[in-house]
Amino acid sequence: MKFEKDTREKNILQAPRGMRDILPSESVALSKVRDTCREVARIFDYREIVTPIVEDIGVFARTVGDDSDLVQKEMYTFDDRGGEQLALRPENTAGVCRAYIEHGMKSLPQPVRLWYFGSFFRYDRPQAGRYRQLTQFGIEAIGSEDPSLDAEVISLQSKLYKSLGLNDIRLGINSIGTQSSRSNFLLALGGYLRKFEAELSEDSQRRLKTNPMRIIDSKDLTDQEIIKDAPKILDFLSEGDEAHFHRVTRDLDSLGISYDIDHSIVRGLDYYTHTVWEFEPIGASGQSTLGGGGRYDGLIEELGGPSTPGVGFATGIERILINLLDKGIIDQQVIPPDVFFIALGSEGHHTAVKLAMELRDHGISVKAGGGGRSMKSLMRAANNSGAFVAVVIGDEEVTEQSAAIRILRDSADSDRNLKVPQEDLVTAIRDIQSQSVVDA
Ligand code: AMP
């Protein structure tokens, strides 16, 4: 491929605005979070699903709501070379439901319990904790309207935060009922809000005409003041909707999961029904929500599938990492190698490459010290590497078929230097390794 000459030749290229590189110092923490997500999903018997990063635009436009910020302002869309209208996925509930329909998962035992972990894209205004490429772990439990499934999904999310060591968090929960409860509420809400129309933010004035529900979670401070005294949806729930919500909260009580009923949680998307919730750190401000979810009983039908209920949540991995790092629960660290290998001379190098591979074959991690440097500088590099031993192969060791071991990290009663036959190297390293684990 031929590139046109870059007229900004001297400009240094950077990652796109709102998108970040995750460097090795952070990726260890990221892996720990990912492993915990995977493990929590396992103990609840959820299965991983991986869907494409790009979907047909209709997957989101039809479900998320044509007038939602997500579709109107935040979606990255493009026409591919064949003229297909595609979008980088801004979220995954709609994509997972599209896959549920496409693969006939309705014929599997219900509910189908799924999880995902991946990248999402939103053309948001970047700020701390808000990116244009974000990572989410999410759960979707599809095919049952049982309220205990809402509680199961919430308890999985709560278990995730606890397993990560995030204890000071608050769960806010609400019910937005079904369409019929909502239509009475919307009449009352619209009547109340119209009295304050002129004072509402521009966005909310627009929403008053399209979808007044969205005004309830407006971030605008004046809007929030007005909303405080607005009618509450819980007062408009039908008997059936109220019973659903009661069974969810009763399960949460049995599980010992505390929650606040929060009338301001309605979630921004069209497809939610019944239970909606959000977790946030206690005392947090700004971009703080760790994750939220809800029931979406009409979504699959909206996508052209058979009428199928579902419930799920998504949590932001960057927000989790920010909280873990801030609270010192996780460090930015690079995992050190077990062994730093020092080869002196060409014969030493020849033997060292073979021995290093043998250690790796036994699961011991080895960093190879570069050749052509002095013993002093290689020992300095070995100490800086964080390895617990250095193995030195010089002329003498080649002749003796031995390996010299220098213990770098303190281990109470072992000699700091020892020599072992090359064939015993793996065992010797293992012994020192287990000794240092005991000492620690
Ligand atoms: P949502 O899909 O909007 O319900 O978001 C679920 C979670 O993803 C939020 O609670 C945040 O933790 C996270 N999240 C949403 N948008 C962003 C963003 N632009 N940057 C970083 N994290 C985000």
Side-chain angles (χ1 to χ4, degrees), residues 91 122 124 129-132 134 136 267 289-292 314-316 318-319:
E91 59 102 46
R122 296 180 185 180
D124 240 341
R130 184 165 289 278
Y131 308 102
R132 288 181 175 172
L134 55 134
Q136 285 185 341
R267 311 281 295 147
T289 314
L290 284 172
T315 186
E318 287 80 7
R319 302 264 174 96

Coordinates of all heavy atoms in Angstrom, one line a residue, residues 91 122 124 129-132 134 136 267 289-292 314-316 318-319, ligand 1:
E91 N -22.1 -0.9 23.3 CA -22.5 -1.7 24.5 C -22.7 -3.1 23.9 O -22.6 -3.4 22.7 CB -23.7 -1.1 25.1 CG -24.9 -1.0 24.2 CD -25.9 -2.1 24.5 OE1 -26.2 -2.4 25.7 OE2 -26.4 -2.7 23.6
R122 N -17.4 4.7 22.5 CA -18.4 5.7 22.6 C -17.7 7.1 22.3 O -16.7 7.4 23.0 CB -19.0 5.7 24.0 CG -19.8 4.5 24.3 CD -20.4 4.5 25.7 NE -21.0 3.2 25.9 CZ -21.6 2.8 27.1 NH1 -21.7 3.7 28.0 NH2 -22.1 1.6 27.2
D124 N -17.6 9.9 23.4 CA -18.0 10.7 24.6 C -17.0 11.8 24.8 O -15.9 11.8 24.2 CB -17.7 9.7 25.8 CG -19.0 9.5 26.6 OD1 -19.9 10.3 26.5 OD2 -19.0 8.5 27.4
G129 N -11.8 8.7 33.9 CA -12.8 7.7 34.1 C -13.8 7.6 32.9 O -14.8 6.8 33.0
R130 N -13.6 8.4 31.9 CA -14.5 8.4 30.7 C -13.7 8.4 29.5 O -12.9 9.4 29.2 CB -15.5 9.6 30.8 CG -16.5 9.6 29.7 CD -17.6 10.6 29.9 NE -18.5 10.1 31.0 CZ -19.5 9.2 30.9 NH1 -19.7 8.7 29.7 NH2 -20.2 8.9 31.9
Y131 N -13.8 7.3 28.7 CA -12.9 7.2 27.6 C -13.8 6.9 26.3 O -15.0 6.6 26.4 CB -12.0 6.0 27.8 CG -11.2 6.1 29.1 CD1 -11.6 5.3 30.2 CD2 -10.1 7.0 29.2 CE1 -10.9 5.5 31.4 CE2 -9.5 7.1 30.4 CZ -9.8 6.3 31.5 OH -9.2 6.5 32.7
R132 N -13.1 7.0 25.2 CA -13.8 6.7 23.9 C -13.7 5.2 23.6 O -14.5 4.7 22.8 CB -13.3 7.6 22.8 CG -13.8 9.0 23.0 CD -13.4 9.9 22.0 NE -14.0 11.2 22.2 CZ -13.7 12.3 21.5 NH1 -12.8 12.3 20.5 NH2 -14.3 13.4 21.8
L134 N -13.6 1.9 25.8 CA -13.7 1.4 27.2 C -13.8 -0.1 27.2 O -14.0 -0.7 26.2 CB -14.9 2.0 27.9 CG -16.2 1.8 27.2 CD1 -17.3 1.4 28.2 CD2 -16.6 3.1 26.5
Q136 N -15.5 -3.4 29.1 CA -16.6 -3.8 30.0 C -16.6 -5.3 30.2 O -16.3 -6.1 29.3 CB -18.0 -3.4 29.5 CG -18.3 -2.0 29.6 CD -19.7 -1.6 29.1 OE1 -20.3 -2.4 28.4 NE2 -20.2 -0.4 29.5
R267 N -32.0 4.3 34.1 CA -31.1 3.9 33.0 C -31.4 4.6 31.7 O -32.6 4.8 31.4 CB -31.1 2.3 32.8 CG -31.0 1.6 34.1 CD -29.5 1.4 34.6 NE -28.7 0.7 33.7 CZ -27.4 0.9 33.5 NH1 -26.8 1.9 34.1 NH2 -26.7 0.1 32.7
T289 N -19.9 5.8 38.5 CA -20.6 4.5 38.5 C -19.7 3.4 38.1 O -19.1 3.4 37.0 CB -21.9 4.6 37.5 OG1 -22.5 5.9 37.8 CG2 -22.8 3.5 37.8
L290 N -19.7 2.3 38.9 CA -18.9 1.2 38.5 C -19.6 0.3 37.5 O -18.9 -0.3 36.6 CB -18.6 0.3 39.8 CG -17.6 0.9 40.8 CD1 -17.6 0.0 42.1 CD2 -16.2 0.9 40.2
G291 N -20.9 0.2 37.6 CA -21.6 -0.6 36.7 C -23.1 -0.7 37.0 O -23.5 -0.4 38.1
G292 N -23.9 -0.9 36.0 CA -25.3 -1.0 36.2 C -25.9 -2.0 35.3 O -25.3 -2.5 34.4
A314 N -23.5 -4.5 33.0 CA -22.2 -4.3 32.5 C -21.4 -3.4 33.5 O -22.0 -2.5 34.1 CB -22.2 -3.5 31.2
T315 N -20.2 -3.8 33.7 CA -19.4 -3.0 34.6 C -18.1 -2.5 33.9 O -17.5 -3.2 33.1 CB -19.0 -3.8 35.9 OG1 -18.3 -2.9 36.8 CG2 -18.1 -5.0 35.6
G316 N -17.7 -1.3 34.2 CA -16.6 -0.6 33.5 C -15.2 -1.1 34.2 O -15.0 -0.9 35.4
E318 N -12.1 0.0 33.5 CA -11.2 1.1 33.8 C -11.6 1.8 35.1 O -10.8 2.1 35.9 CB -11.3 2.2 32.7 CG -10.6 1.8 31.4 CD -11.4 0.9 30.5 OE1 -12.6 0.7 30.8 OE2 -10.9 0.4 29.5
R319 N -13.0 1.9 35.4 CA -13.4 2.5 36.6 C -13.0 1.6 37.8 O -12.7 2.0 38.9 CB -15.0 2.6 36.6 CG -15.5 3.4 35.5 CD -15.8 4.9 36.0 NE -16.2 5.6 34.8 CZ -17.4 5.9 34.5 NH1 -18.4 5.5 35.2 NH2 -17.7 6.6 33.4
Ligands
AMP1 P1 -23.5 1.5 30.6 O1 -23.2 0.5 29.5 O2 -23.6 2.9 30.1 O3 -24.5 1.1 31.6 O4 -22.1 1.5 31.4 C1 -21.7 0.5 32.3 C2 -20.5 0.9 33.0 O5 -19.4 1.0 32.0 C3 -20.5 2.2 33.7 O6 -21.0 2.1 35.0 C4 -19.0 2.6 33.7 O7 -18.4 1.9 34.7 C5 -18.5 2.1 32.4 N1 -18.5 3.1 31.3 C6 -19.6 3.6 30.6 N2 -19.2 4.5 29.7 C7 -17.8 4.7 29.9 C8 -16.8 5.5 29.3 N3 -17.1 6.3 28.4 N4 -15.5 5.4 29.8 C9 -15.2 4.5 30.8 N5 -16.1 3.7 31.4 C10 -17.4 3.8 31.0

